[in-house]
Amino acid sequence: MERELNDNVKKWYFLGFTKNQVQSVIPILKKGNISTLKNLSISTAICFFVLSIFPILLQHNILESIADLVAGFISILFYFASKILLKHEVFNKKTLSANIIYLSHLALYLLLIIGYSIYAGVYHNRIHPAVIFFLVMLTTQFLFTINLIGNFFISLICYSVFIALAIHYKPREIWIFDISSCLITFLLSNITWYETVRNRITQSLDELRLTEANIALYDLANKDSLTMLYNRRKFYEEMQKLLIARDLSKGTIAVLIIDIDDIMSFCFNAFN
């Protein structure tokens, strides 16, 4: 809390939060991003597998069905990769390799689903507005990034590529509608991103404060304020655990008691 208050004097702010506030919750936000990707990837895989049925039944297009199946299997790979990253706690590591792995994991997944939405909205659906592309951009843009560069420029590149392809492959009356939809979607997604990330940072800071308060209360209840050694309450708590463990293991337990002479004079000389 002291570091947080001292940092308020500085001019560096992000969405109304100071630098130290943001840096303190980045591991929590990264963990949330990977968890979101894990859940989203398995849902995406199910959608791809379901979509792979329709090209065969309705259009007898085996190649498109195979492409959907491949995309589904790739999504499953992202699901297991996310589980591995969570298991090894990559979000807590500050090394360059860990950051590269984390960012590459998110970027490749976004490339998969946004690339598919551009394909479905431009090549596969040339005479209708690209509704699927706008839905994907609305639901994925704010899920992963916590910085303006990652959010703004990546989405800007995706919209630029989509608009260029739509102008080239779609009729004029369709791509004009797509461009206007891009502007609306871009504004809505950035507003949603701002509110979502701000709420996530606020919630993470509240959780950190609550954790620090619980640790402080635990120390007050279980440690002597002068020597910072565990008190009688802590002794009884640990002893109860040992007795339960002894009963479960059918073993034995031993207690060693040490009497220190003139402990009060030692404390007086040490802390006075």
Side-chain angles (χ1 to χ4, degrees):
M1 292 298 294
E2 181 180 354
R3 183 184 65 177
E4 178 182 317
L5 292 174
N6 291 336
D7 192 60
N8 285 334
V9 182
K10 298 181 180 180
K11 302 298 183 183
W12 193 98
Y13 284 93
F14 175 76
L15 300 179
F17 300 98
T18 61
K19 181 178 180 179
N20 281 341
Q21 285 178 323
V22 175
Q23 289 179 343
S24 64
V25 299
I26 280 180
I28 300 175
L29 297 177
K30 284 184 175 180
K31 182 180 179 181
N33 292 342
I34 299 175
S35 299
T36 301
L37 193 152
K38 179 174 73 71
N39 298 328
L40 189 60
S41 59
I42 193 66
S43 301
T44 306
I46 295 173
C47 292
F48 279 129
F49 290 143
V50 173
L51 289 174
S52 66
I53 300 174
F54 295 101
I56 296 179
L57 294 179
L58 302 178
Q59 302 173 343
H60 303 288
N61 191 337
I62 299 178
L63 291 178
E64 186 173 343
S65 180
I66 292 175
D68 291 337
L69 287 174
V70 171
F73 283 114
I74 293 175
S75 295
I76 291 179
L77 292 178
F78 275 104
Y79 170 78
F80 287 107
S82 299
K83 292 188 67 174
I84 294 173
L85 294 181
L86 289 172
K87 180 180 179 181
H88 292 281
E89 297 186 352
V90 174
F91 50 87
N92 279 329
K93 299 177 181 178
K94 298 181 179 180
T95 60
L96 179 62
S97 59
N99 289 327
I100 292 176
I101 292 173
Y102 166 77
L103 293 175
S104 301
H105 185 62
L106 300 184
L108 289 174
Y109 182 76
L110 287 175
L111 180 64
L112 170 68
I113 54 178
I114 294 177
Y116 179 85
S117 67
I118 292 177
Y119 162 77
V122 176
Y123 293 100
H124 192 265
N125 192 16
R126 300 188 182 186
I127 60 175
H128 297 287
V131 178
I132 186 172
F133 172 76
F134 304 127
L135 289 176
V136 168
M137 293 302 295
L138 276 174
T139 55
T140 60
Q141 182 176 347
F142 65 90
L143 289 178
F144 305 120
T145 59
I146 57 171
N147 58 78
L148 289 173
I149 296 177
N151 180 76
F152 182 79
F153 287 105
I154 290 177
S155 60
L156 192 61
I157 292 172
C158 294
Y159 284 116
S160 301
V161 172
F162 171 78
I163 290 173
L165 293 174
I167 293 174
H168 187 270
Y169 288 100
K170 286 190 170 187
R172 185 174 184 275
E173 60 274 10
I174 301 299
W175 64 255
I176 289 177
F177 180 83
D178 281 344
I179 291 176
S180 61
S181 299
C182 281
L183 295 175
I184 296 173
T185 306
F186 183 74
L187 292 175
L188 289 176
S189 59
N190 277 279
I191 293 173
T192 308
W193 171 85
Y194 175 85
E195 294 297 333
T196 301
V197 175
R198 182 175 174 80
N199 290 336
R200 287 180 64 190
I201 295 177
T202 301
Q203 181 181 0
S204 300
L205 286 173
D206 291 340
E207 291 175 356
L208 282 178
R209 294 189 185 101
L210 181 60
T211 301
E212 292 176 357
N214 288 334
I215 293 174
L217 288 175
Y218 180 84
D219 288 340
L220 287 174
N222 294 281
K223 290 184 178 181
D224 178 71
S225 59
L226 179 63
T227 62
M228 296 306 294
L229 299 175
Y230 288 118
N231 55 20
R232 181 185 298 182
R233 183 180 183 277
K234 180 65 175 179
F235 170 78
Y236 285 134
E237 178 184 336
E238 294 297 325
M239 196 64 188
Q240 188 67 27
K241 295 178 183 179
L242 291 174
L243 292 174
I244 294 174
R246 181 205 60 182
D247 295 338
L248 292 175
S249 63
K250 306 297 182 182
T252 58
I253 188 173
V255 178
L256 178 64
I257 300 176
I258 300 176
D259 183 20
I260 303 178
D261 295 332
D262 298 326
I263 185 65
M264 292 303 297
S265 61
F266 169 78
C267 294
F268 180 81
N269 293 328
F271 297 98
N272 189 13

